[in-house]
Amino acid sequence: MIPLDASSIRLNILQKYLNIPINIHILQSVDSTNQYLKTIDHCAGISICCAEAQTQGRGRFGREWFSPPFENIYFSMRLTLNIKALQLSGLSLIASIAVLDMLMKLNIKKDTYIKWPNDILWHHHKLCGCLIEIVQTNPLELIIGIGINVNSNTKQQTENLIPRCSLFDITGQQYDRNFLIGILINLLLKNIHQFAKNGLVSFIPKWNRYDYLKDKQVSVVHSSSTITGVVTGIDHLGHLILLDKNGTTHNLSSGETTISYSKI
Ligand code: BTN
């Protein structure tokens, strides 16, 4: 196991991004890397926190994010962005696209998808999740938290969790997480830059390639009701577009999606 190390991560960050101050915090153990970045003082540039283990790793909908020590990536980035709160759904999608781009660079191309809004799946098993949290509005300061199962052998894990997988399960290789984190930072910053300049629309062709739900019939629990329909894609804000059996279109900003096999 190669330990997490700030200088090794830095070696993999492209020179053009090193012009921005990037403060890297490496911790042995922390409740949650997202939570940790919320507590630090505001500083210029970007702050990154990576931990060997999390004791209270959190996912969407307040779920636990299983975070065993020394195996995986528990990564958070805090930054200030000149975007509107309305654009946040789109931002969470482009963070997931950065992870998929990283998988492409590792030559992991087959059966990898993003399940809206930001579950990264391989062979229907969860490889990665993202959790975006707002620190303050005006200017918008936020934390992008990413958990990637890297070197875990998930077949040996007995915890009762949703079906998941790791990079090791996919390729049989062990990875240097410092290298992966460096690449992830580059791809996140590239996507954030493109997002701020050209908006989410510039990512839609890529999203369509990575979209797990496209043309599938899904049920979405949204504001205490369930809507069922066929996914036709995402709109310019990153909302999921569902076409129900009456031909009505629903643009959903959030919700838990389940593929439904019943007739509509
Ligand atoms: C999800 O799929 O529900 C989102 C999971 C996000 C997990 C990451 S791990 C690093 C960061 N710290 C946390 O507590 N959560 C995120």
Side-chain angles (χ1 to χ4, degrees):
M1 186 274 299
I2 302 169
L4 293 172
D5 174 61
S7 351
S8 308
I9 293 174
R10 229 172 253 288
L11 277 180
N12 293 295
I13 302 178
L14 293 173
Q15 195 53 45
K16 62 178 170 183
Y17 299 127
L18 291 171
N19 296 333
I20 319 162
I22 302 184
N23 315 294
I24 304 180
H25 304 246
I26 302 291
L27 306 172
Q28 286 308 298
S29 179
V30 69
D31 50 359
S32 145
T33 53
N34 269 28
Q35 186 56 33
Y36 175 83
L37 285 188
K38 276 188 208 161
T39 62
I40 62 167
D41 287 338
H42 170 86
C43 51
I46 293 168
S47 295
I48 284 170
C49 176
C50 298
E52 291 288 7
Q54 295 186 120
T55 54
Q56 289 172 53
R58 286 174 296 116
R60 293 173 68 234
F61 306 112
R63 290 185 189 130
E64 179 199 358
W65 183 258
F66 183 58
S67 312
F70 307 121
E71 295 180 345
N72 299 324
I73 291 178
Y74 316 117
F75 167 97
S76 299
M77 175 187 273
R78 174 169 161 172
L79 74 172
T80 303
L81 273 182
N82 188 14
I83 61 165
K84 299 187 181 66
L86 200 65
Q87 291 175 281
L88 270 179
S89 335
L91 187 77
S92 87
L93 305 190
I94 64 125
S96 303
I97 291 176
V99 179
L100 247 282
D101 290 341
M102 184 189 91
L103 297 179
M104 298 297 137
K105 279 194 186 296
L106 299 176
N107 224 6
I108 300 172
K109 299 184 174 164
K110 211 168 161 274
D111 295 317
T112 41
Y113 292 98
I114 307 173
K115 178 170 176 273
W116 182 91
N118 39 31
D119 288 349
I120 313 283
L121 306 181
W122 175 79
H123 252 283
H124 318 286
H125 287 57
K126 188 152 167 171
L127 176 69
C128 165
C130 306
L131 178 68
I132 299 204
E133 296 184 270
I134 298 175
V135 180
Q136 64 157 43
T137 50
N138 221 355
L140 189 62
E141 194 171 3
L142 45 88
I143 295 170
I144 303 173
I146 299 180
I148 311 176
N149 299 325
V150 179
N151 294 322
S152 290
N153 183 344
T154 63
K155 287 183 199 74
Q156 283 179 359
Q157 291 170 346
T158 49
E159 289 78 11
N160 186 17
L161 298 160
I162 55 157
R164 73 219 150 83
C165 65
S166 67
L167 296 182
F168 173 76
D169 295 334
I170 301 172
T171 66
Q173 281 178 45
Q174 293 282 328
Y175 290 84
D176 175 359
R177 292 165 298 158
N178 300 305
F179 168 68
L180 300 182
I181 292 167
I183 297 184
L184 182 62
I185 294 170
N186 293 333
L187 292 168
L188 275 172
L189 294 179
K190 175 174 175 270
N191 280 3
I192 289 168
H193 182 74
Q194 182 183 331
F195 180 71
K197 200 165 162 231
N198 304 322
L200 182 65
V201 178
S202 64
F203 290 91
I204 288 191
K206 207 174 226 185
W207 176 268
N208 287 338
R209 282 206 300 282
Y210 293 161
D211 188 357
Y212 180 71
L213 296 177
K214 186 134 169 71
D215 300 326
K216 294 206 169 87
Q217 183 181 296
V218 303
S219 293
V220 187
V221 180
H222 182 75
S223 316
S224 75
S225 65
T226 302
I227 301 169
T228 300
V230 173
V231 173
T232 62
I234 53 165
D235 66 15
H236 69 292
L237 290 173
H239 297 173
L240 188 74
I241 310 174
L242 267 193
L243 183 65
D244 74 16
K245 64 176 181 201
N246 302 318
T248 306
T249 298
H250 304 262
N251 294 44
L252 305 173
S253 60
S254 64
E256 176 85 293
T257 55
T258 316
I259 295 181
S260 96
Y261 295 99
S262 60
K263 279 209 163 74
I264 53 169

